[in-house]
Amino acid sequence: MSRRPPVAVIGMHRSGTSLVTASLERLGLFAGRTKDRNDEAVFFRRLNDWLLRQSGAAWDQPSPVRLLVERAEVRSLAAGYLAHVVRSVRTVGYLGWASYLRHRGLTSLPFAWGWKDPRTTFTLPVWTDVFPEARVIHVLRHGVDVAASLRARHRRALARRAEAFRRRKPIYSVWVKRTGFTDSLRCATLEGGFSLWEEYVDQGRALVQDLGSRAVELRYEDLLEDSVGRLRDLAVFCGLAPTHLRLSEAAGAVDARRSLAFRGDPELEVFSEAAADRLRG
């Protein structure tokens, strides 16, 4: 079999990238052996975090990474480092030992493969220096649902970590606390999460336009409404040939009730009306 280019699933956090990737895995896409709690390949997530740190960026403050992308000398060095790593034994973390011993890296994989990481929305230009033929699926979800989900996650994490702090407080007399109380203060409010969604959407759409036929945009709500049709289209885009049974099973795992979840919540509906112009943009 010939070498297959990777497929990167990008889009704002909480936008349905996990659902899309899980569905594609059911259809035959390999998306990594070792994953974190957000179903992201740890290998690629760590490299993306490394890229973001080079410019003082983070997943919730991603814009500074453009400084790296625009500095040719630094970008070339970063791409060179990534090109080295994807040919190294470190790819065991993504491939697993059996596949690594067979292929010795990610540059000549003969099967459909890729990764999901929202951070790639901003780091992709460096990755395409490494994988020039890479394909991209940009997942787009209603911004109010995203902002509400981010705020809910923030609140859960804050409550959990506050309780852990109360239990462990005595040890901090002699031990440095290495983690914070939240993953993102920006996402503690609807406006903060929504403005972050706007950044990701603008960047994702710019990438889709630049990549032409090598990129597609998928609305999360469209996937929920027509899961069979949308997954069939994605399978073709990824070079997959699932059986009708596998396609039906993947579509059956999609929960259509999650579409436009903000409706029926008075606070979220008011916010949506206030942000109507920004949503249309």
Side-chain angles (χ1 to χ4, degrees):
M1 297 177 64
S2 60
R3 178 176 62 89
R4 302 283 291 273
V7 175
V9 180
I10 68 170
M12 176 59 188
H13 303 257
R14 317 302 289 180
S15 285
T17 53
S18 293
L19 172 62
V20 170
T21 306
S23 298
L24 289 174
E25 287 185 286
R26 291 186 177 97
L27 300 181
L29 183 78
F30 179 76
R33 185 71 63 192
T34 305
K35 299 178 183 176
D36 63 13
R37 66 179 184 276
N38 295 313
D39 205 31
E40 295 163 5
V42 174
F43 175 81
F44 283 97
R45 192 209 68 213
R46 287 175 174 170
L47 290 172
N48 275 330
D49 279 336
W50 177 82
L51 285 171
L52 292 173
R53 287 196 301 271
Q54 305 312 299
S55 55
W59 74 268
D60 62 340
Q61 299 289 346
S63 293
V65 81
R66 294 191 179 103
L67 297 173
L68 185 152
V69 172
E70 294 166 0
R71 298 315 193 262
E73 183 179 9
V74 179
R75 174 174 169 172
S76 177
L77 288 168
Y81 168 70
L82 296 181
H84 173 73
V85 171
V86 301
R87 292 175 171 86
S88 75
V89 70
R90 286 176 58 185
T91 56
V92 167
Y94 175 81
L95 291 170
W97 274 108
S99 189
Y100 169 75
L101 292 174
R102 188 176 304 114
H103 303 292
R104 302 290 178 171
L106 307 182
T107 59
S108 58
L109 298 180
F111 50 81
W113 68 284
W115 73 91
K116 166 252 177 179
D117 184 359
R119 299 163 185 79
T120 310
T121 309
F122 285 85
T123 63
L124 186 72
V126 186
W127 283 111
T128 53
D129 291 343
V130 180
F131 300 114
E133 299 175 356
R135 293 180 158 237
V136 168
I137 299 171
H138 177 222
V139 184
L140 178 64
R141 186 183 184 186
H142 195 285
V144 178
D145 278 346
V146 171
S149 181
L150 288 168
R151 186 180 66 171
R153 185 175 71 174
H154 161 81
R155 289 174 172 175
R156 290 193 300 270
L158 182 62
R160 184 174 64 251
R161 294 178 186 184
E163 175 58 28
F165 172 68
R166 283 190 286 271
R167 288 187 280 104
R168 301 170 185 171
K169 189 175 181 180
I171 72 172
Y172 295 125
S173 297
V174 294
W175 193 266
V176 176
K177 186 171 176 19
R178 301 190 182 279
T179 59
F181 292 105
T182 177
D183 292 329
S184 174
L185 286 171
R186 180 176 183 176
C187 296
T189 65
L190 290 175
E191 174 57 35
F194 188 83
S195 66
L196 182 59
W197 172 84
E198 290 179 300
E199 286 189 51
Y200 272 81
V201 170
D202 288 346
Q203 177 70 9
R205 284 179 164 166
L207 291 174
V208 170
Q209 184 174 1
D210 289 344
L211 291 171
S213 62
R214 291 195 291 118
V216 294
E217 184 170 278
L218 172 68
R219 286 187 174 274
Y220 175 77
E221 292 79 13
D222 291 344
L223 173 61
L224 300 191
E225 181 179 346
D226 178 20
S227 54
V228 172
R230 299 298 176 175
L231 290 179
R232 183 186 296 114
D233 291 344
L234 289 182
V236 171
F237 179 76
C238 297
L240 302 170
T243 64
H244 179 72
L245 176 60
R246 292 186 74 175
L247 182 61
S248 297
E249 290 176 345
V254 175
D255 185 359
R257 295 171 298 178
R258 299 182 65 185
S259 181
L260 301 176
F262 74 93
R263 292 178 176 171
D265 184 308
E267 180 194 15
L268 299 183
E269 288 187 341
V270 168
F271 185 87
S272 179
E273 291 175 5
D277 291 340
R278 295 160 70 186
L279 285 163
R280 283 191 293 268

